[in-house]
């Protein structure tokens, strides 16, 4: 019997225009959203300058995370609109909100000018960006999926999946270009505003492009048949048959995909700059190179999922991430800061103190004053971005910091007069700094010692994992839900996964590092979630690549 299989027809001019217009607009939205992440260190100094540098950076990460926290609410708001009035007009609204909020950040006075109002307004603008992005991604993904021919949805929607990485790459390149053009001093003072202000031009281009698009055939057909949902939120999550699919989509797909994405493209950058002390411009250049090389693999894995299925590719990426993150980041340390890796191997740092005297180290507001010897030692070591371990004392005595063979007694400041406390604290900090220098711990990564090809290769591996989990996921999510509630149903699990599990990864990971003292311990957060998703997805997720979207009104 002859086979009925045939290769899909080439992409039509209309399909090309749909993909290009949807993708380009979404690139600009991701650019707007990720500018903040690319400028987190400067944002910390400009808007959280009342805090010490470590707390300011953590608070800047929390403000960054605020945009992620509200993304599910944007998914509900705009997803409902998208299922009621259509895909096209909804993601036009989200684009305008995102562009104006980003432009406003570029005009916002700093803490030095208006005090606490500056970070408050900044967080408000981040919330608006998060709401807008909560509606944008689902609209673009559904729009392309509903235009794609059967058997090509993975390949077509993979173009949308490139947009987050391209937006991040665009943000990094604009930031680096502006920094190089103006010089570091001018950029840190006022030039950081330029990348935000440029977004108004991108907004105009995006709106012009998208106004020319038509509504999707699937939505038009459903509307003509009178089958649109009157209450898409209630139908999506108030009926168990639809809710259970959304839960599986969250736990068996998007949670793991999210932590793999943010580990490979954001946490890796923060790890290079904050833990390994690599110059921020060099770190961004190396990450940009990996992003540029790796981006075509979104299309590769999206197209491959049309042949072998969405499930095996996504879950394999999650499993590989869970199994390899720890050794990969250790290799990144050896390649990016070999002096630090050598010091950690030969002159380990140990805090010998009673664990009962150690409190929780995460102090993003800077209001907690540490006075116990254990806390003082950990705070000083954290300020040097030094990994250490905690050991209980064998006999009673003062707490000490051991750096290789050198032991430094830690003062107890509790109940001590203010002047004497400052004197002892300063003396202890100086002694620790001296011992770290003698132990080979560098203050900064030596640019000449960085094995750049190796670092880019490691970042590229992390990027390949990102493309495996992210390339096919838009098609998989669109295929899991009927047309009448597709925008709402796929948007919420996607944005809970990416907004909460993924967006909270940097502050969560750094909080774990602050508490444990081990620079690698923050990796257990993405390892645990990626591994959990691989198991849940293997057990509960069904393959969707052969689903007929037109049969699912």
């Amino acid at each position: 019997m002859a086979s009925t299989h045939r290769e899909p027809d080439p992409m039509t001019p209309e399909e090309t225009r749909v993909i290009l217009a949807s993708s380009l607009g979404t690139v600009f939205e991701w650019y707007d959203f990720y500018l903040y992440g690319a400028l987190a260190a400067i944002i910390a100094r400009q808007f959280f300058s009342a805090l010490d540098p470590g707390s300011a950076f953590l608070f800047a990460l929390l403000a960054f995370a605020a945009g992620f926290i509200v993304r599910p609410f944007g998914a509900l708001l705009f997803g409902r609109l998208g299922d009621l009035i259509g895909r096209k007009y909804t993601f036009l609204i989200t684009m305008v909100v995102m562009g104006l909020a980003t432009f406003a950040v570029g005009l916002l006075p700093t803490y030095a000018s208006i005090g606490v109002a500056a970070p408050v307004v900044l967080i408000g603008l981040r919330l608006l960006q998060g709401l807008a992005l909560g509606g944008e991604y689902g609209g673009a993904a559904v729009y392309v999926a509903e235009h794609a021919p059967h058997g090509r949805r993975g390949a077509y929607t993979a173009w949308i999946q490139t947009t987050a990485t391209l937006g991040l790459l665009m943000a990094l390149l604009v930031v680096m270009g502006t920094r190089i053009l103006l010089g570091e001093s001018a950029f840190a003072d006022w030039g950081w505003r330029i990348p935000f202000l440029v977004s108004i031009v991108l907004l105009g281009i995006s709106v012009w492009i998208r106004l020319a698009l038509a509504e999707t055939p699937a939505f038009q057909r459903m509307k003509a048949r009178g089958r649109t949902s009157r209450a898409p939120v209630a139908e999506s999550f108030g009926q168990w048959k639809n809710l259970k699919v959304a839960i599986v989509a969250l736990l068996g797909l998007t949670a793991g995909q999210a932590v793999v994405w943010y580990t490979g493209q954001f946490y890796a950058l923060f790890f290079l700059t904050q833990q390994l002390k690599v110059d921020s411009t060099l770190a961004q250049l190396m990450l940009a190179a990996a992003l540029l090389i790796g981006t075509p693999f979104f299309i590769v894995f999206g197209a491959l999922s049309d042949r072998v299925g969405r499930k095996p590719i996504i879950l394999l990426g999650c499993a590989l991430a869970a199994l390899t993150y720890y050794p990969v980041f250790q290799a990144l340390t050896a390649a990016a800061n070999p002096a630090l890796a050598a010091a950690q191997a030969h002159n380990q740092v140990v805090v010998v103190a009673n664990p009962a005297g150690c409190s929780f180290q995460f102090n993003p507001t800077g209001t907690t004053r540490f006075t116990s010897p254990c806390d003082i030692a950990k705070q000083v070591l954290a300020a040097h971005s030094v990994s250490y371990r905690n050991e209980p004392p064998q006999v009673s005595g003062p707490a000490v910091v051991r750096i290789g063979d050198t032991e430094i007694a830690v003062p107890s400041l509790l109940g001590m007069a203010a002047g004497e406390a400052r004197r002892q604290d300063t003396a202890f900090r100086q002694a620790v700094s001296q011992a770290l220098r003698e132990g080979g711990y560098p203050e900064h990564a030596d640019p000449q010692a960085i094995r750049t090809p190796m670092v880019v290769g490691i970042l590229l591996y992390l990027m390949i994992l990102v493309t495996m989990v992210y390339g096919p996921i838009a098609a998989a999510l669109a295929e899991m839900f009927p047309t009448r509630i597709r925008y709402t149903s796929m948007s919420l699990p996607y944005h809970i996964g990416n907004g909460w599990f993924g967006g909270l990864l940097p502050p969560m990971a750094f909080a774990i590092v602050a508490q444990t003292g081990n620079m690698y311990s923050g990796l257990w957060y993405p390892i645990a979630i990626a591994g959990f998703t691989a198991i849940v997805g293997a057990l509960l997720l069904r393959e969707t690549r052969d689903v007929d979207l037109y049969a699912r009104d």
Side-chain angles (χ1 to χ4, degrees), residues 212-271:
L213 296 177
E215 189 53 79
T216 72
F219 185 85
Q220 290 176 332
R221 172 180 165 175
M222 178 188 66
K223 188 174 182 179
R225 296 170 63 186
R227 301 202 48 165
T228 54
S229 175
R230 295 181 179 178
V233 174
E235 188 174 340
S236 296
F237 311 114
Q239 298 179 12
W240 175 244
K241 67 175 183 177
N242 294 323
L243 177 61
K244 67 181 179 182
V245 177
I247 293 173
V248 171
L250 171 62
L251 300 180
L253 272 182
T254 63
Q257 165 263 305
V259 297
V260 173
W261 201 100
Y262 286 96
T263 299
Q265 303 201 56
F266 265 111
Y267 188 68
L269 177 61
F270 293 147
F271 188 85

Side-chain angles (χ1 to χ4, degrees), residues 163-246:
T163 59
T165 296
L166 290 174
L168 173 58
L169 178 61
M170 185 177 172
L172 292 176
L173 293 177
V174 171
V175 167
M176 286 187 292
T178 309
R179 178 178 262 132
I180 292 169
L181 185 64
L182 298 179
E184 191 60 39
S185 178
F187 183 81
D189 183 32
W190 59 269
W192 61 270
R193 297 180 181 275
I194 293 176
F196 289 100
L197 298 176
V198 165
S199 67
I200 199 70
V201 178
L202 304 181
L203 173 62
I205 295 171
S206 301
V207 170
W208 175 70
I209 290 173
R210 285 196 174 175
L211 280 173
L213 296 177
E215 189 53 79
T216 72
F219 185 85
Q220 290 176 332
R221 172 180 165 175
M222 178 188 66
K223 188 174 182 179
R225 296 170 63 186
R227 301 202 48 165
T228 54
S229 175
R230 295 181 179 178
V233 174
E235 188 174 340
S236 296
F237 311 114
Q239 298 179 12
W240 175 244
K241 67 175 183 177
N242 294 323
L243 177 61
K244 67 181 179 182
V245 177

